Amino acid sequence: MNSNNNTFLAMLFRMKHINRWSLMFNTQTENLMQHTVECAFITHFLALVGNSRFNKNYDSEKLCVYALFHDVSEVLTGDLPTPVKYFNEEIKAVYKNIESIACDKLLTHLPNEMRDYYSAYFTCENLSDDEKKLIKTADKLCAYLKCITEMNASNKEFEPALNSTRKALDNINSEELRYFLDNCIDSFSLSLDDLKGTL
């Protein structure tokens, strides 16, 4: 098989085999593909909240696509748990380098003429600081929603993660985030019948 074969999408579809939260007991497993799609949904929503309520000028579709690729390196590295990844600056720097190498490797699964397009999604070099912040905020919200789901299933294992993630969210200065926490977060604890009753 030569390096110009289109094996890139086949690699991406292996995201569904990468489980997150691996150090903890989960009542529901969460894989990387699920997380990625959820992060893209929330990024898109936050961007539209910013545009419609706070006079921002986000390109919501563009940011949604970038969010789809925000953890793409984990197809090769697996999901390194947050307490390990951010244990100290040395580990954080080493892992950043590993992520970069993994992204470079993934690009070799594309034809040469397509690599620059995808490289931009991997590096986020074309995004402003505010756009990067929006995706990171969506990523953190996904973690918080996972904690809520587990706590609603009486899984006390996630209580420390719930508290630390909420503290991290409270330290983010974002109008879009405040809107989400004030108007959306409670609905994720509703049952299906309760959600249907809101129609």
Short mmCIF file of all heavy atoms in Angstrom, two decimals, residues 1 10 20 48 102 116 127-128 136 140 147:
data_model
loop_
_atom_site.label_atom_id
_atom_site.label_comp_id
_atom_site.label_asym_id
_atom_site.label_seq_id
_atom_site.Cartn_x
_atom_site.Cartn_y
_atom_site.Cartn_z
N MET A 1 0.85 -1.19 0.00
CA MET A 1 0.00 0.00 0.00
C MET A 1 0.89 1.24 0.00
O MET A 1 1.76 1.38 0.84
CB MET A 1 -0.89 -0.01 1.24
CG MET A 1 -1.83 1.17 1.32
SD MET A 1 -2.90 1.09 2.78
CE MET A 1 -3.86 -0.35 2.39
N ALA A 10 -10.53 6.17 6.90
CA ALA A 10 -10.56 4.90 7.63
C ALA A 10 -9.89 5.06 9.00
O ALA A 10 -10.35 4.48 9.99
CB ALA A 10 -9.85 3.82 6.82
N ARG A 20 -12.87 7.19 26.26
CA ARG A 20 -12.44 8.28 27.14
C ARG A 20 -12.71 7.92 28.60
O ARG A 20 -13.38 6.94 28.89
CB ARG A 20 -13.18 9.57 26.76
CG ARG A 20 -12.75 10.12 25.40
CD ARG A 20 -13.71 11.15 24.84
NE ARG A 20 -14.04 12.20 25.81
CZ ARG A 20 -13.27 13.28 26.05
NH1 ARG A 20 -12.14 13.43 25.38
NH2 ARG A 20 -13.66 14.18 26.93
N LEU A 48 -23.29 30.54 17.35
CA LEU A 48 -24.54 31.19 16.97
C LEU A 48 -25.11 32.02 18.12
O LEU A 48 -25.71 33.08 17.89
CB LEU A 48 -25.56 30.15 16.50
CG LEU A 48 -25.22 29.47 15.17
CD1 LEU A 48 -26.32 28.47 14.80
CD2 LEU A 48 -25.06 30.51 14.06
N ALA A 102 1.75 12.85 15.97
CA ALA A 102 0.61 12.02 15.57
C ALA A 102 -0.16 12.69 14.43
O ALA A 102 -0.57 12.01 13.48
CB ALA A 102 -0.30 11.77 16.76
N ASP A 116 -2.40 20.01 2.98
CA ASP A 116 -2.41 21.38 3.52
C ASP A 116 -3.78 21.77 4.06
O ASP A 116 -3.88 22.49 5.05
CB ASP A 116 -1.97 22.38 2.46
CG ASP A 116 -0.47 22.34 2.20
OD1 ASP A 116 0.25 21.73 3.02
OD2 ASP A 116 -0.03 22.91 1.18
N LEU A 127 -7.12 30.22 13.16
CA LEU A 127 -8.16 30.69 14.08
C LEU A 127 -7.65 31.81 14.96
O LEU A 127 -6.48 31.84 15.35
CB LEU A 127 -8.65 29.53 14.97
CG LEU A 127 -9.32 28.35 14.29
CD1 LEU A 127 -9.83 27.38 15.35
CD2 LEU A 127 -10.45 28.78 13.37
N SER A 128 -8.55 32.71 15.30
CA SER A 128 -8.22 33.76 16.26
C SER A 128 -8.21 33.17 17.67
O SER A 128 -8.70 32.06 17.90
CB SER A 128 -9.24 34.89 16.17
OG SER A 128 -10.51 34.44 16.66
N LYS A 136 -12.37 25.40 22.89
CA LYS A 136 -11.92 24.86 24.17
C LYS A 136 -13.03 24.91 25.21
O LYS A 136 -13.16 24.01 26.05
CB LYS A 136 -10.69 25.64 24.66
CG LYS A 136 -9.43 25.33 23.87
CD LYS A 136 -8.23 26.07 24.41
CE LYS A 136 -6.96 25.72 23.63
NZ LYS A 136 -5.77 26.45 24.12
N LYS A 140 -14.65 21.73 27.19
CA LYS A 140 -14.81 21.67 28.64
C LYS A 140 -16.28 21.42 29.02
O LYS A 140 -16.57 20.68 29.97
CB LYS A 140 -14.30 22.95 29.28
CG LYS A 140 -14.24 22.94 30.79
CD LYS A 140 -13.26 21.93 31.32
CE LYS A 140 -11.83 22.28 31.02
NZ LYS A 140 -10.87 21.31 31.65
N CYS A 147 -19.91 14.44 33.21
CA CYS A 147 -19.96 14.33 34.68
C CYS A 147 -21.39 14.37 35.18
O CYS A 147 -21.77 13.60 36.08
CB CYS A 147 -19.13 15.44 35.32
SG CYS A 147 -17.35 15.33 35.02
#
